[in-house]
Amino acid sequence: MFENKEINLHLLRERAFNLRWASVEKDVIPLTAADPDFPCAPQIIESINKYIRDRYFSYAPAEGYSFFREAMVDSLLNQKGIPANSEFIYPVDSAAFGIFNVCKAFLNKDDEAIIFNPVDFLFKYSIEKVGGRAIDLPVSLNPEVSIDLEKLSSLITPKTKLLCLCNPLNPTGKVFTKQELTAIGKIAVKHNIIILSDEIWSDIVFSPSSYVSVASLDEEIRNQTVIVTGFSKSYGLAGLRIGAVVSFNDKNHQTLFEASDHKSTIHGSNVLAQVAATTALNECDQWLNQFVTHLHKMREIVVSGLNNLKGVSCYYPQGCYVAFANISATGYTSEYLHALLLKEAKVAIVPGLPKWFGSNAEGNIRISFATSEELLTEAMNRIKKTINNL
């Protein structure tokens, strides 16, 4: 299922936007946005086809279909050890909107939210979009280094309302340990701060690391937590625009759902997306496990390849299918190398610019390796030739 012959480059060049195949020249290999080159699991298409044969696309309930919410409950408990209530879960039209929804629900003008630096830009964007202030917590680029808990505590003020946890952490690939999460959870409880736990990458974890959700620790921490997740990274459903928001008490749920605008029909998740996501949760464990096995091998190819380049070093990500490589010893900026690799190597990567990941990302480039061995090897050979000739 994850061989090069399964990738349809013709369709990708027509349909895969957001810095990917349809956004670059035909001879460029894009290792950019974290989106698989492979088609989704066949069970997902079968379920969509079965649904559409009846030719009814009626309004869905504002809170989402019960079959989707029950599938989420089963998955959270069986895969993550999280006891959830289907009444406190609702689908959203992407994890990105889920993050925005949480910020809108819990932040007023000039309220503060703590975010990692580096981290995906959507946290800062969402916080500032609702009038809040994003407060940076610098984190190591080495996934094995724990966050500075004293620094975290020092950033908390009476205006701190959110602590944004991205686990696994995009772009560094850090997977937080149970001990780290317990400490973070206790800080949030002590100061009555909501934990926004972005868990969209939680299925993409590499041995020997294992995933622990902050919501699985205990009831007190769980009641301070809101999980946002999605189905684009694990199941290749980015274009279906489907995610979920999970809270653990009625007060938080009502606050979130009111802020979602679902009851007004301004926002909401479409029917086919919920059908697809339900099938992914209920029927696609084997597909996902094989995907992660494939990614293990791709991780080795990309990280070992990067570490053999002049002036480049890269830690092994514990999770996420992205490698975050330090290129500062080349003497060039990430923006310059991005332009050079695009022009000379015909490979597109993501430069570590503040607009993408925060100020601590400079001197790094991000490479997605959710592709075939053949395409990744070709891309790495092109990168090697260009960088080693600098």
Side-chain angles (χ1 to χ4, degrees):
M1 287 187 290
F2 302 103
E3 297 178 357
N4 195 61
K5 64 181 180 180
E6 300 298 323
I7 296 177
N8 189 326
L9 289 179
H10 174 72
L11 286 179
L12 285 173
R13 290 188 178 111
E14 287 184 351
R15 302 180 183 182
F17 289 85
N18 193 22
L19 307 178
R20 289 183 16 87
W21 295 94
S23 304
V24 297
E25 297 296 326
K26 190 173 182 179
D27 55 350
V28 171
I29 300 175
L31 305 179
T32 47
D35 187 28
D37 281 342
F38 301 101
C40 70
Q43 297 95 321
I44 292 174
I45 301 308
E46 291 168 8
S47 68
I48 291 176
N49 285 338
K50 181 179 179 182
Y51 189 93
I52 65 176
R53 286 192 200 107
D54 293 328
R55 297 185 295 143
Y56 277 96
F57 300 97
S58 305
Y59 289 110
E63 68 274 14
Y65 275 113
S66 59
F67 58 74
F68 171 81
R69 292 183 285 117
E70 291 297 340
M72 282 292 301
V73 168
D74 291 343
S75 177
L76 288 167
L77 182 61
N78 297 329
Q79 303 299 327
K80 307 293 192 322
I82 304 170
N85 184 334
S86 64
E87 294 183 4
F88 302 150
I89 299 172
Y90 58 95
V92 287
D93 71 356
S94 64
F97 179 76
I99 291 172
F100 176 79
N101 184 184
V102 177
C103 293
K104 181 182 176 185
F106 292 108
L107 294 177
N108 294 314
K109 182 175 173 55
D110 295 329
D111 281 344
E112 296 174 353
I114 297 172
I115 65 172
F116 299 136
N117 185 359
V119 75
D120 186 90
F121 75 98
L122 283 169
F123 290 97
K124 181 178 174 66
Y125 174 87
S126 298
I127 292 162
E128 294 181 346
K129 193 72 173 177
V130 301
R133 294 181 60 227
I135 307 300
D136 284 355
L137 174 64
V139 294
S140 173
L141 302 184
N142 182 349
E144 296 184 2
V145 175
S146 297
I147 67 168
D148 187 337
L149 294 172
E150 289 187 6
K151 178 65 174 177
L152 170 59
S153 295
S154 74
L155 295 176
I156 296 173
T157 74
K159 291 186 176 182
T160 307
K161 299 298 188 294
L162 276 183
L163 197 169
C164 299
L165 176 67
C166 183
N167 184 26
L169 177 55
N170 171 23
T172 71
K174 178 179 177 57
V175 175
F176 288 80
T177 66
K178 184 176 181 179
Q179 291 73 22
E180 289 175 303
L181 294 170
T182 300
I184 292 170
K186 287 181 177 179
I187 290 172
V189 169
K190 177 182 177 181
H191 296 278
N192 193 29
I193 299 170
I194 295 293
I195 302 171
L196 162 53
S197 185
D198 174 7
E199 304 192 4
I200 194 170
W201 287 103
S202 60
D203 295 320
I204 312 298
V205 175
F206 305 112
S207 178
S209 297
S210 58
Y211 187 76
V212 177
S213 171
V214 68
S216 70
L217 299 176
D218 63 46
E219 185 176 4
E220 194 173 32
I221 294 174
R222 188 159 47 250
N223 274 321
Q224 293 295 127
T225 300
V226 177
I227 293 174
V228 172
T229 191
F231 302 85
S232 57
K233 312 309 179 189
S234 301
Y235 299 102
L237 303 184
L240 285 179
R241 306 293 295 177
I242 178 68
V245 174
V246 184
S247 53
F248 297 93
N249 59 66
D250 186 65
K251 179 183 177 182
N252 285 350
H253 172 72
Q254 294 300 331
T255 301
L256 286 158
F257 198 64
E258 186 66 30
S260 73
D261 281 328
H262 278 212
K263 288 190 289 186
S264 68
T265 71
I266 290 175
H267 288 292
S269 173
N270 76 71
V271 170
L272 293 183
Q274 293 181 60
V275 170
T278 301
T279 304
L281 292 170
N282 290 340
E283 302 179 30
C284 298
D285 285 354
Q286 183 178 4
W287 185 93
L288 178 59
N289 290 337
Q290 291 181 10
F291 183 35
V292 175
T293 298
H294 171 77
L295 291 171
H296 262 278
K297 187 175 182 180
M298 298 307 98
R299 181 182 72 148
E300 180 61 39
I301 290 172
V302 73
V303 175
S304 61
L306 287 167
N307 283 326
N308 282 324
L309 300 178
K310 296 177 182 178
V312 179
S313 62
C314 185
Y315 295 107
Y316 280 86
Q318 298 169 329
C320 308
Y321 44 70
V322 294
F324 204 50
N326 189 311
I327 50 85
S328 55
T330 65
Y332 298 99
T333 66
S334 62
E335 191 168 23
Y336 176 86
L337 276 187
H338 163 260
L340 180 72
L341 291 174
L342 186 61
K343 179 181 178 181
E344 301 295 337
K346 302 299 182 183
V347 176
I349 52 87
V350 180
L353 300 177
K355 70 175 183 178
W356 297 126
F357 307 112
S359 59
N360 284 357
E362 182 49 78
N364 295 270
I365 59 173
R366 197 191 75 168
I367 293 177
S368 172
F369 50 89
T371 188
S372 68
E373 182 175 355
E374 288 83 352
L375 281 171
L376 187 61
T377 300
E378 171 63 22
M380 293 306 298
N381 285 338
R382 295 183 188 184
I383 292 172
K384 179 180 179 180
K385 181 180 179 181
T386 300
I387 290 184
N388 285 349
N389 283 339
L390 285 174

